């Protein structure tokens, strides 16, 4: 909202010397945000004065143009020029070249004298051109930066002015005024008006406030006016689309009369361009009182006006000359010919006020916020009116705004107002909120006195009654956002002053803090970062092909995925079922920029729809759904487990003297997976795996002790790497982190460390080539008994000395007792038990 200071001063006690920055600083105290300052003098500097054309000589030029050699008086006749400067003639008559032709001798115009600066840092000086010394410029509206009209010179008589020669044109045109722009939050729609901002300025500074509405004398009752009917047969949430419609008639207006410069100046500073006198008056009243109004050409109306919902597919041509197809929810202003406006959004072209208009019907109505907001979004048609209506407008200001428009049409356009008028609708019920005496203090954390509470609420315009429990507060009609005791508490805090609220750190109650899963997630992420991996964040949007490849181990298997209704691109139209596609894209992008050695990881949600997805209908807004409805909504939400994934490409370290970097391989991916399990105290069972996104022979399946498969690790498929232009032998892993968290113990207990020495035994076993080494290792572990501390595979051999179809697996077994030093016989006996178990299960023979 832009606030011209001259306008604000009419209703609030703004000091004469206060700048826009000063006003914004005061408004910040009551919760507004600074946006910008709009000050014409930042780009426009005098001397700029009123001049009168004494003579005009047309001189054709060789280039085909005709220029005017003008003599322009810039001081009253008989007076001497008091301005000094190079190029300023002491006689008060300036010789000026002008290329425009829309003025004649005797016209009063705006003259920028040498030394003036126009927008765009265009400096005026005396210069020789077309054979003359031109000392100044006769300005157009665009050259002054006060409009877009560049058809010709600004002739002051055409905007209703006849000032004295030599008058300061910047003051005449309101160019010394300035505007402060503030950001208005959606719940404070009343501040989209000078009325609302002036009241807030008074709150901030403790100075008097004059309500603009109090300066307008509107009839207590209206009757006998234009026929208006409110007929909403499909209210939204039970709220009528229009609950008040005030109509007034003004006849005999001259719509061609110029808008007064003071009004044009204020509208311009407020960010609204001047269009025509009736439209400018309507916009002016909207900015002043916060109530949008609309002017119809009375003679174009057919019959009476009916406010109703649109018929599905009904059409209207709006003021922007676009034909729009309407929805059954749209609220319309209609007459006998059909739709003549989308209520609260934009009027129709058929009843637009034009230069030929002589009789005007003024509309000042109150519309439902939801209806207006939906129509505005549906038709992508933002307007100053809809901005206010969808945030809430004062129901009681409608007749005042209508009267203000009527008064200005009579005063400025020469019209005559009909005594009759129309005011139909039903006033909303006043809402009274019970505010317990101590509630605001307890909520805000400051002990408000009774005087502070009463003063703050009454300054808002609320009606406050003291009760046994506290206060009964009826909010003012312009504050539709004050509906609860929390709202009132926030207003008390705002008006007493945010700076009065002490800054205190909350004390964490005992027994609380991060949840178990939050702690586990932090440990997991920190462990991977400590291991040298870099955490990244990839988009959760992927292609169908990516989900089909990474979302299921078996090619061609059915994989349900969520399709986006409005994707950022058709190539990324689905929510991910795996994190790896996004990670690979991040790696690919880094490779294209020269970064080849990467170890990236991400933890994030994947989206796995079940049998039920969504609901048959969406419950209505504005009310909390019943518990069974909420249960149905949650049942339709897809499962969203947290996954962990990593991608490693290139080498584990940069090259250096006496150091050869090692290329990442599948074993590194397995180590990272094991690290994830170790940090959570979960043992992962690694076995030969098969996944369409991984190399057929270099992929491991990762499972829990329960047998639940929770992920895969290994080398990515060569075809996939080639398709993504990734280095060969790149490796990756992905785990269901939620499954890890669930399997982890609440408390990880460290195993005691024995003080007795370890006894090691190596064993090489020959088994069939198709027997997984992990299965043999598990058999050794089970057979060795309690003395076995650790078993690991350190060699696999097939070749000379080994029968065809067989392979040799070499294991290292570590034995230790908690209470004694093991003898060699005890260690050998345990080893023999382990070998026997492997022989029984797989026919393993010791080499």
């Amino acid at each position: 909202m832009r606030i011209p200071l001259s306008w604000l001063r009419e209703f609030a006690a703004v000091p004469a010397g206060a700048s826009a920055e000063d006003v914004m600083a005061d408004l910040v105290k009551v919760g507004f945000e600074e946006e910008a300052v709009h000050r014409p003098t930042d780009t426009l500097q005098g001397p700029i004065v009123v001049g009168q054309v004494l003579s005009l000589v047309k001189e054709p030029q060789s280039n085909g143009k005709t220029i005017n050699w003008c003599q322009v008086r810039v001081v009253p006749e008989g007076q001497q020029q008091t301005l000094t400067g190079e190029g300023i003639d002491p006689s008060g008559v300036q010789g000026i070249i002008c290329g425009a032709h829309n003025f004649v001798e005797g016209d009063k115009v705006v003259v920028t004298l040498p030394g003036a600066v126009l927008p765009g840092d265009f400096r005026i000086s005396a210069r020789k051109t077309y054979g003359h010394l031109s000392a100044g410029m006769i300005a157009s509206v665009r050259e002054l930066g006060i409009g877009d009209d560049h058809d010709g010179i600004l002739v002051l008589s055409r905007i209703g002015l006849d000032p004295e020669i030599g008058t300061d044109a910047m003051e005449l045109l309101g160019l010394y005024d300035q505007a402060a722009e503030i950001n208005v939050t959606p719940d404070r729609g009343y501040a989209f008006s000078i009325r609302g901002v002036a009241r807030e300025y008074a709150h901030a500074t403790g100075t008097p406030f004059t309500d603009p509405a109090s300066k307008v004398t509107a009839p207590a009752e209206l009757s006998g006016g234009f026929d208006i009917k409110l007929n909403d047969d499909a209210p939204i949430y039970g709220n009528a689309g229009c609950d008040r419609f005030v109509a007034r008639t003004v006849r005999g207006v001259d719509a061609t009369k110029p808008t007064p410069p003071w009004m044009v100046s204020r509208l311009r500073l407020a960010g609204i361009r001047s269009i025509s006198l009736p439209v400018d008056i309507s916009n002016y009243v909207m900015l002043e009182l916060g109530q949008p109004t609309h002017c119809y050409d009375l003679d174009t109306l057919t019959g009476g006006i009916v406010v109703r919902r649109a018929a599905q597919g009904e059409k209207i041509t709006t003021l922007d000359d676009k034909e729009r197809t309407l929805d059954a929810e749209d609220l319309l202003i209609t007459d006998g010919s059909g739709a003549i406006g989308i209520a609260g959004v934009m009027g129709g072209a058929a009843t637009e006020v034009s230069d030929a208009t002589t009789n005007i019907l003024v509309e000042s109505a109150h519309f439902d916020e939801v209806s207006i907001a939906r129509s505005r979004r549906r038709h992508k048609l933002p307007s100053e009116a809809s901005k206010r209506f969808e945030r809430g407008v004062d129901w009681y200001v409608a007749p005042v705004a209508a009267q203000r428009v009527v008064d200005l049409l009579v005063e400025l356009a020469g019209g005559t107002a009909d005594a009759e008028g129309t005011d139909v609708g039903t006033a909303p019920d006043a809402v009274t909120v019970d505010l317990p005496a101590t509630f605001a203090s307890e909520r805000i954390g400051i002990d408000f006195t009774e005087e502070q509470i009463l003063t703050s609420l009454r300054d808002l315009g609320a009606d406050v009654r003291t009760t046994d429990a506290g206060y009964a507060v009826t909010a003012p009609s312009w504050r539709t956002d004050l509906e609860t005791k929390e709202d009132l508490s926030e207003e008390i805090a705002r008006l007493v002053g945010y700076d009065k609220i002490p800054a205190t750190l909350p004390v964490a109650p005992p027994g609380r803090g991060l949840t178990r899963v939050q702690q586990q997630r932090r440990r997991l992420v920190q462990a991977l970062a400590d291991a040298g991996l870099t955490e990244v964040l990839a988009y959760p949007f992927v292609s169908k092909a990516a989900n089909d490849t990474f979302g299921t181990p078996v090619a061609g298997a059915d994989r349900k995925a969520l399709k986006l209704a409005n994707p950022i691109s058709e190539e990324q139209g689905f929510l991910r079922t795996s994190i790896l596609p996004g990670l690979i894209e991040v790696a690919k992008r880094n490779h294209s920029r020269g970064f080849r050695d990467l170890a990236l990881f991400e933890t994030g949600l994947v989206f796995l729809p079940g049998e039920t997805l969504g609901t048959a209908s969406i419950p209505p807004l504005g009310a909390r759904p019943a518990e069974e409805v909420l249960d149905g909504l949650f049942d339709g939400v897809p499962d969203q487990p947290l996954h962990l994934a990593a991608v490693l490409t290139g080498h584990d370290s940069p090259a250096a003297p006496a150091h050869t970097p090692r290329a990442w391989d599948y074993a590194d991916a397995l180590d990272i997976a094991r690290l994830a399990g170790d940090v959570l105290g979960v043992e992962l069972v690694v076995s030969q795996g098969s996944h369409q996104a991984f190399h057929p022979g270099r992929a491991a399946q990762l499972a829990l002790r329960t047998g639940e498969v929770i992920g895969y690790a290994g080398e990515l498929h060569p075809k996939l790497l080639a398709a993504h232009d990734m280095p060969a032998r790149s490796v990756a892993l992905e785990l269901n982190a939620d499954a890890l968290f669930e399997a982890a113990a609440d408390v990880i207990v460290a195993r005691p460390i024995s003080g007795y020495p370890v006894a090691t035994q190596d064993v090489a076993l020959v088994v069939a080539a198709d027997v997984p080494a992990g299965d043999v290792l598990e058999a050794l572990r089970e057979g060795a008994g309690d003395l076995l501390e650790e078993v690991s595979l350190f060699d696999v051999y097939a070749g000379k000395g080994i029968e065809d179809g067989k392979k040799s697996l070499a294991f290292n077994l570590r034995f230790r007792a908690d209470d004694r030093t093991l003898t060699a016989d005890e260690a050998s006996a345990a080893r023999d038990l382990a070998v026997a178990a492997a022989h029984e299960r797989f026919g393993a023979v010791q080499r």
Side-chain angles (χ1 to χ4, degrees):
M1 173 67 185
R2 295 184 183 184
I3 311 123
L5 266 56
S6 65
W7 205 349
L8 184 64
R9 287 190 175 97
E10 290 188 14
F11 311 111
V14 181
S19 66
E21 289 87 349
D22 297 330
V23 169
M24 287 194 297
D26 287 324
L27 292 174
V28 164
K29 298 175 185 176
V30 286
F32 293 101
E33 295 179 4
E34 299 177 348
E35 284 290 329
V37 170
H38 302 272
R39 190 163 29 224
T41 54
D42 287 345
T43 58
L44 185 68
Q45 299 174 26
I48 303 175
V49 300
V50 173
Q52 186 172 34
V53 180
L54 300 179
S55 65
L56 182 154
V57 179
K58 295 186 179 295
E59 298 183 354
Q61 303 297 310
S62 59
N63 60 6
K65 293 179 60 176
T66 298
I67 59 96
N68 300 313
W69 170 237
C70 306
Q71 298 298 311
V72 185
R73 179 174 292 282
V74 293
V75 296
E77 189 172 2
Q79 296 183 20
Q80 291 294 311
Q81 175 64 270
T82 58
L83 297 173
T84 59
E86 185 178 351
I88 297 179
D89 197 310
S91 70
V93 177
Q94 300 288 126
I96 299 175
I97 292 291
C98 184
H101 302 283
N102 67 320
F103 64 102
V104 296
E105 293 177 358
D107 280 343
K108 290 184 178 178
V109 294
V110 175
V111 180
T112 59
L113 295 173
V117 180
L118 299 183
D121 198 28
F122 183 69
R123 299 178 180 273
I124 304 301
S125 61
R127 61 191 182 93
K128 192 167 184 179
T129 181
Y130 293 109
H132 299 281
L133 182 66
S134 181
M137 187 175 77
I138 304 174
S140 70
V141 167
R142 181 181 292 181
E143 288 162 343
L144 292 171
I146 59 175
D148 297 325
D149 183 10
H150 197 53
D151 293 337
I153 295 305
L154 172 58
V155 179
L156 295 175
S157 62
R158 294 175 191 164
I159 61 171
L161 296 177
D162 185 19
E164 182 181 1
I165 298 170
T167 299
D168 186 343
M170 291 182 64
E171 184 174 359
L172 179 72
L173 298 174
L175 298 176
Y176 290 123
D177 200 359
Q178 53 186 304
E181 184 175 0
I182 58 173
N183 180 38
V184 178
T185 54
D187 61 328
R188 301 175 73 179
Y190 67 93
F192 277 112
S193 66
I194 300 298
R195 182 192 190 204
V197 174
R199 181 181 281 109
E200 290 295 333
Y201 183 84
H203 294 333
T205 58
T207 54
F209 161 69
T210 302
D211 190 345
S214 67
K215 291 190 169 187
V216 180
T217 304
E221 294 183 1
L222 290 171
S223 62
F226 199 83
D227 183 31
I228 307 291
K229 288 184 174 59
L230 308 182
N231 182 22
D232 186 357
D233 56 2
I236 298 177
Y237 304 142
N239 296 323
C242 177
D243 57 8
R244 189 170 200 179
F245 197 112
V246 178
R248 299 291 302 277
T249 303
V250 183
R251 303 180 190 274
V253 300
D254 182 357
T256 64
K257 281 193 172 183
T259 303
W262 60 266
M263 183 179 286
V264 173
S265 172
R266 287 182 173 180
L267 290 173
R268 182 182 65 252
L269 276 175
I272 295 180
R273 66 185 180 90
S274 175
I275 298 173
S276 68
L277 180 57
V279 175
D280 291 350
I281 288 173
S282 178
N283 285 333
Y284 187 84
V285 172
M286 175 185 67
L287 292 172
E288 185 171 80
L289 297 174
Q291 168 69 56
T293 62
H294 187 70
C295 292
Y296 299 92
D297 186 329
L298 181 63
D299 297 326
T300 64
L301 294 173
T302 304
I305 282 179
V306 178
V307 184
R308 62 169 173 82
R309 297 288 173 180
Q312 188 67 39
E314 191 173 355
K315 297 184 183 299
I316 184 176
T317 300
T318 46
L319 287 173
D320 55 1
D321 290 326
K322 292 183 179 179
E323 185 179 71
R324 301 180 185 276
T325 301
L326 301 169
D327 184 86
E329 265 195 356
D330 289 327
L331 189 69
L332 300 182
I333 311 297
T334 68
D335 67 358
S337 66
I340 58 173
I342 303 176
V345 179
M346 185 172 286
T351 57
E352 180 180 7
V353 171
S354 66
D355 289 348
T357 299
T358 57
N359 301 314
I360 289 177
L361 181 72
V362 178
E363 166 204 306
S364 181
H366 185 269
F367 299 113
D368 174 55
E369 295 92 333
V370 175
S371 285
I372 304 309
R374 290 189 179 182
S375 289
R376 188 265 301 167
R377 288 195 292 268
R378 184 178 297 115
H379 297 290
K380 297 180 175 62
L381 192 59
S383 65
E384 291 294 329
S386 66
K387 180 194 299 183
R388 288 160 175 82
F389 278 127
E390 64 184 87
R391 288 165 172 80
V393 171
D394 184 359
W395 190 91
Y396 291 93
V397 83
V400 177
Q403 184 65 48
R404 179 70 164 139
V405 172
V406 168
D407 292 343
L408 289 171
L409 285 172
V410 171
E411 176 187 350
L412 303 177
T416 302
D418 285 0
E420 298 81 7
T422 306
D423 186 352
V424 294
T426 304
D429 295 331
V431 178
T432 298
V433 179
D434 291 324
L435 177 65
T438 60
F439 182 82
S441 297
E442 292 170 352
R443 184 165 184 84
I444 305 302
I446 179 173
D447 291 331
F448 295 113
T449 65
E450 183 176 7
E451 181 183 359
Q452 286 176 318
I453 293 173
L454 291 173
T455 300
S456 298
L457 294 176
R458 286 170 178 161
D459 282 351
L460 287 175
D463 176 66
V464 187
R465 292 182 294 105
T466 304
T467 66
D468 293 340
Y471 313 94
V473 184
T474 303
S477 57
W478 56 85
R479 292 301 304 270
T480 56
D481 59 308
L482 302 182
E483 298 177 332
T484 65
K485 57 188 177 182
E486 289 81 7
D487 296 333
L488 297 176
S489 300
E490 291 172 6
E491 289 299 295
I492 293 168
R494 185 173 68 89
L495 296 187
V496 170
Y498 292 135
D499 57 322
K500 303 294 193 301
I501 301 174
T504 56
L505 289 174
V507 177
R512 297 188 182 180
L514 297 177
T515 66
R516 170 178 171 270
V517 171
Q518 287 171 336
Q519 292 173 343
Q520 291 171 330
R521 181 172 180 174
R522 288 196 178 191
R523 287 204 304 269
L524 177 60
V525 170
Q526 188 62 52
L528 295 180
D530 290 344
L533 279 76
T534 300
E535 186 176 16
V536 297
L537 186 64
Y539 281 119
F541 314 122
V542 298
S543 66
K544 181 179 185 302
N547 272 340
D548 291 344
T549 300
F550 291 92
T552 179
V554 181
D558 182 41
R559 163 58 89 188
K560 292 177 65 175
L562 284 175
K563 191 176 190 307
L564 296 170
N566 187 24
I568 57 176
S569 73
E570 288 303 322
E571 291 76 21
Q572 296 175 314
F574 290 82
L575 286 174
R576 66 189 179 189
T577 58
S578 165
I579 295 181
L580 282 176
L583 265 182
I584 289 173
E585 286 299 318
V586 173
K588 179 180 176 181
R589 186 164 58 251
N590 278 274
H591 283 197
S592 69
R593 288 158 175 76
F595 299 99
R596 295 277 173 173
D597 300 327
L598 300 172
L600 309 176
F601 80 97
E602 179 184 1
T603 56
L605 303 180
V606 297
F607 305 87
L608 309 176
E611 294 300 322
T612 301
L613 182 61
T615 55
S617 62
I618 298 176
L621 302 176
R624 177 181 171 83
E627 290 301 323
E628 58 271 15
V629 176
L630 288 174
D631 291 342
L633 290 173
F634 287 125
D635 289 342
V637 175
D639 186 25
Q640 299 172 51
L642 182 77
H643 275 210
L644 159 70
V647 170
L648 297 87
T649 69
H651 299 83
D652 65 346
S653 58
H659 170 69
T660 301
R662 183 181 63 83
W664 296 113
D665 62 25
Y666 74 92
D668 295 297
L670 286 175
D671 284 346
I672 293 171
R674 289 192 178 100
L675 173 63
D678 289 345
V679 77
L680 297 174
V682 178
E683 183 181 359
L684 291 180
V685 177
V686 180
S687 61
Q688 182 72 39
S690 174
H691 193 293
Q692 59 177 320
F694 288 85
H695 191 289
R698 297 172 189 152
Q701 177 180 282
L702 307 171
L704 300 176
R705 277 285 171 193
T706 60
E708 179 186 357
V709 177
I710 63 169
Y712 292 85
E715 187 176 308
L716 288 170
H717 200 290
K719 290 183 178 179
L720 185 149
L721 293 174
H724 286 80
D725 195 25
M726 294 270 288
R729 311 298 289 271
S730 294
V731 299
L733 70 111
E734 183 163 8
L735 289 169
N736 184 335
D738 276 351
L740 278 178
F741 298 154
E742 188 175 347
D746 290 342
V747 178
I748 300 175
V749 180
R751 290 185 301 174
I753 299 175
S754 173
Y756 295 96
V758 65
T760 61
Q761 297 274 345
D762 291 342
V763 61
L765 301 176
V766 177
V767 296
D770 60 352
V771 174
D775 292 349
V776 178
L777 184 147
E778 193 62 29
L780 292 173
R781 187 197 306 275
E782 293 175 5
D786 295 337
L787 293 178
L788 181 67
E789 181 178 80
E790 183 180 352
V791 57
S792 59
L793 175 72
F794 67 87
D795 185 49
V796 178
Y797 173 73
K800 186 176 180 181
I802 302 296
E803 184 180 346
D804 289 343
K806 303 281 187 176
K807 64 181 176 183
S808 172
L809 304 176
F811 297 92
N812 175 257
L813 292 84
R814 293 166 54 89
F815 299 98
R816 195 194 312 256
D818 295 332
D819 56 351
R820 68 189 186 280
T821 299
L822 290 177
T823 64
D825 290 342
E826 288 178 308
S828 297
R831 180 202 62 196
D832 293 342
L833 289 173
V835 170
H839 174 74
E840 180 181 353
R841 191 171 302 176
F842 302 108
V845 176
Q846 188 171 353
R847 287 180 65 189

